[in-house]
């Protein structure tokens, strides 16, 4: 017994448009209704399920929401069940008497309804799985293709290679100027010690990419790993204040400390700007600076002190007396990194604040430069920067 609607003349089921306009939601709904209702005869179910999957893949490419497709499938099954039920009504005989034949027919209707219901539940299970799998597969393919395009263009910009053709092939418009961010990610101790630390790192990178896409309308270009990387954001979609907020938002999203250096550059200047920013980021890490966003303007002095030459060598040698006292060198780094906050320095070193005072005094005695005085502190800080950049 067939449970579906009557077939079109000369066919095994309702006609379904092969050249449907997939972007038309009305067509999506009608096609789902027709295809689902045609499954109710129980024949050629695997072929029809496969056909549904091909439709879904096309709709996913056209941006039709998956909930629209699922709702249309459910509507089709509901329509089919309604048609089955509509054929089972039995008008009562005069006087309300029920003959044996009518009882047999009622029983047969019940059996048919049970079979139809079972078939619909089976179809719902299979179509839901097919729709979800086909949609997710197509979405993943689209995401992969986009990520490859972004990575290709970003690599070309960072390497200084010709990028116009790549950008055109990728369908990405190159901005006139970019905020160039270089990032260093420091996950929490709990995250790094977790059994699935590698997988957690990948999830962290994925969340950063999602946050960047959402905050820049998908215009951010990035090359990221679990340790950090480079992000290019068009100046037109983000001002300086928003850039500050972005780093804080990323840090909160992934629950990790993020140190970043940012500068502004035209596409042709990106390789040099990124290289300079990475130098400063490396120096910030060696000096133990606080995790936050640093702009190139903030670090002009440090950048100049990091240039090779006799002056840098002399500055670095000021700390030679501390080479045999690593605890003193570490204390100096932390003290400057905390902006001369004794209590915070003591907490970071797990010592008493009086111990910090004693060590600072010893540094002055050994080097000849008092870290509690402006002139001595300036020389010692410059020496730390010179040492941090030798070699970069």
């Amino acid at each position: 017994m067939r449970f579906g609607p009557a077939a079109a003349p000369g066919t095994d089921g309702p006609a379904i448009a092969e050249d449907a306009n997939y972007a038309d939601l009305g067509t999506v709904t009608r096609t789902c209704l027709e295809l689902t209702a045609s499954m109710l005869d129980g024949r050629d179910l695997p072929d029809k399920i496969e056909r549904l999957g091909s439709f879904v893949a096309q709709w996913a490419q056209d941006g039709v929401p998956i909930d629209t497709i699922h709702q249309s499938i459910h509507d089709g099954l509901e329509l089919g069940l309604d048609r089955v039920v509509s054929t089972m009504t039995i008008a009562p005989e005069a006087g309300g008497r029920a003959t044996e034949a009518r009882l047999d027919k009622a029983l047969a209707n019940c059996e048919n309804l049970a079979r139809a219901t079972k078939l619909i539940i089976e179809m719902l299970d299979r179509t839901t799985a097919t729709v979800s799998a086909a949609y997710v597969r197509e979405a993943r393919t689209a995401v992969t293709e986009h990520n490859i395009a972004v990575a290709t263009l970003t690599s070309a910009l960072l390497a200084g290679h010709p990028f116009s053709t790549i950008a055109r092939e990728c369908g990405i418009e190159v901005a006139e100027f970019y905020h160039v961010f270089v990032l260093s990610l420091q996950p929490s101790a709990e995250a790094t010690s977790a059994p699935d630390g590698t997988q957690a790192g990948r999830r962290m990178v994925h969340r950063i990419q999602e946050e960047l896409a959402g905050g820049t309308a998908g215009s951010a270009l990035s090359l990221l790993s679990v340790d950090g990387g480079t992000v290019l954001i068009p100046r037109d979609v983000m001002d300086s204040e928003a850039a500050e907020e972005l780093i804080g938002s990323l840090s909160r999203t992934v629950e990790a400390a993020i140190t970043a250096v940012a500068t502004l550059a035209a596409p042709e200047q990106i390789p040099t700007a990124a290289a300079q920013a990475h130098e400063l980021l490396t120096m910030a890490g060696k000096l133990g600076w606080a995790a936050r966003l640093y702009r190139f303007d903030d670090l002009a002095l440090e950048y100049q002190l990091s240039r090779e030459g006799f002056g840098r060598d002399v500055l670095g040698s000021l700390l030679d007396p501390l080479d045999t006292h690593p605890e003193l060198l570490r204390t100096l780094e932390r003290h400057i990194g905390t902006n001369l906050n004794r209590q915070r320095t003591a907490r970071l070193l797990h010592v008493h604040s009086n111990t910090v005072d004693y060590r600072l005094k010893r540094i002055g005695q050994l080097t000849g430069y008092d870290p509690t005085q402006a002139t001595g502190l300036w020389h010692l800080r410059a020496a730390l920067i010179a040492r941090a950049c030798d070699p970069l």
Side-chain angles (χ1 to χ4, degrees):
M1 175 179 180
R2 291 193 178 191
F3 301 114
T11 69
D12 291 330
I16 300 174
E18 296 289 350
D19 57 347
N21 177 10
Y22 299 110
D24 178 3
L25 293 183
T27 301
V28 174
T29 302
R30 185 175 64 256
T31 303
C32 284
L33 286 171
E34 293 174 347
L35 186 57
T36 307
S38 73
M39 296 178 184
L40 289 170
D41 60 10
R43 296 192 305 182
D44 301 325
L45 196 55
D47 292 340
K48 292 172 181 175
I49 292 288
E50 183 178 354
R51 188 179 178 194
L52 175 62
S54 65
F55 278 122
V56 170
Q58 182 63 58
W59 291 331
Q61 292 178 16
D62 292 337
V64 178
I66 190 172
D67 56 326
T68 298
I69 301 173
H70 277 307
Q71 185 60 54
S72 299
I73 295 292
H74 292 179
D75 290 345
L77 290 172
E78 183 179 359
L79 175 62
L81 184 59
D82 288 344
R83 290 179 178 177
V84 171
V85 173
S86 67
T87 64
M88 297 180 180
T89 57
I90 304 174
E93 292 184 354
R97 297 190 306 274
T99 63
E100 182 177 348
R102 289 178 60 78
L103 289 174
D104 290 342
K105 185 176 182 181
L107 180 60
N109 282 341
C110 290
E111 293 174 349
N112 289 337
L113 179 60
R115 288 200 302 273
T117 303
K118 182 178 179 181
L119 176 61
I120 286 176
I121 292 174
E122 177 188 352
M123 289 169 51
L124 181 61
D125 180 57
R126 296 180 66 175
T127 55
T128 299
T130 297
V131 168
S132 300
Y135 200 97
V136 169
R137 183 168 55 248
E138 192 61 37
R140 283 178 174 171
T141 299
V143 169
T144 300
E145 291 175 350
H146 176 74
N147 288 345
I148 291 175
V150 168
T152 301
L153 179 57
T154 308
S155 297
L157 288 168
L158 290 173
H161 295 160
F163 54 81
S164 299
T165 302
I166 297 175
R168 186 166 54 252
E169 292 176 351
C170 295
I172 300 174
E173 184 178 354
V174 176
E176 186 177 359
F177 285 94
Y178 282 95
H179 293 288
V180 181
F181 295 87
V182 294
L183 311 178
S184 175
L185 309 178
Q186 298 99 36
S188 63
E190 293 79 3
T192 54
S193 61
D196 62 340
T198 302
Q199 187 63 31
R202 295 195 188 100
R203 288 195 296 267
M204 179 174 65
V205 171
H206 180 67
R207 288 198 298 271
I208 289 177
Q209 291 172 331
E210 286 185 332
E211 184 81 8
L212 288 172
T216 64
S219 60
L221 305 176
S222 64
L223 281 179
L224 296 171
S225 71
V226 296
D227 299 316
T230 306
V231 178
L232 308 177
I233 299 178
R235 183 180 61 178
D236 295 343
V237 302
M238 180 170 291
D239 56 23
S240 298
E241 184 177 346
E244 295 274 359
E245 296 174 355
L246 173 67
I247 299 302
S249 176
L250 291 177
S251 183
R252 291 188 296 271
T253 296
V254 300
E255 298 180 347
I258 298 180
T259 305
V261 176
T263 186
L264 189 67
E268 296 79 8
Q269 301 168 334
I270 287 176
T272 300
Q276 292 172 343
H278 274 286
E279 287 183 12
L280 293 173
L281 184 65
T282 300
M283 181 174 62
K286 289 182 177 180
L287 294 174
W289 288 354
R292 66 176 182 88
L293 175 64
Y294 296 91
R295 297 194 173 280
F296 201 87
D297 293 347
D298 302 330
L299 304 173
L301 174 61
E302 287 80 358
Y303 181 77
Q304 194 58 42
L305 288 172
S306 69
R307 300 304 86 195
E308 290 187 16
F310 178 71
R312 192 180 79 178
D313 295 338
V314 171
L315 281 174
S317 67
L318 297 182
L319 298 177
D320 287 351
L322 303 184
D323 286 343
T324 55
H325 304 275
E327 75 284 357
L328 298 182
L329 187 59
R330 188 164 57 253
T331 299
L332 180 62
E333 292 171 345
R334 293 294 181 269
H335 191 52
I336 292 177
T338 62
N339 199 22
L340 314 184
N341 188 314
R342 292 169 55 253
Q343 284 74 25
R344 191 176 173 202
T345 301
R347 286 196 300 271
L348 290 174
L349 295 173
H350 306 289
V351 298
H352 194 275
S353 57
N354 289 342
T355 302
V356 174
D357 291 337
Y358 170 76
R359 290 181 179 179
L360 293 176
K361 183 178 179 180
R362 283 287 293 154
I363 291 171
Q365 292 170 347
L366 291 172
T367 64
Y369 294 96
D370 187 351
T372 64
Q373 299 296 319
T375 301
L377 180 64
W378 194 94
H379 281 85
L380 292 171
R381 186 171 185 271
L384 283 174
I385 293 171
R387 277 205 167 193
C389 302
D390 184 23
L392 273 171

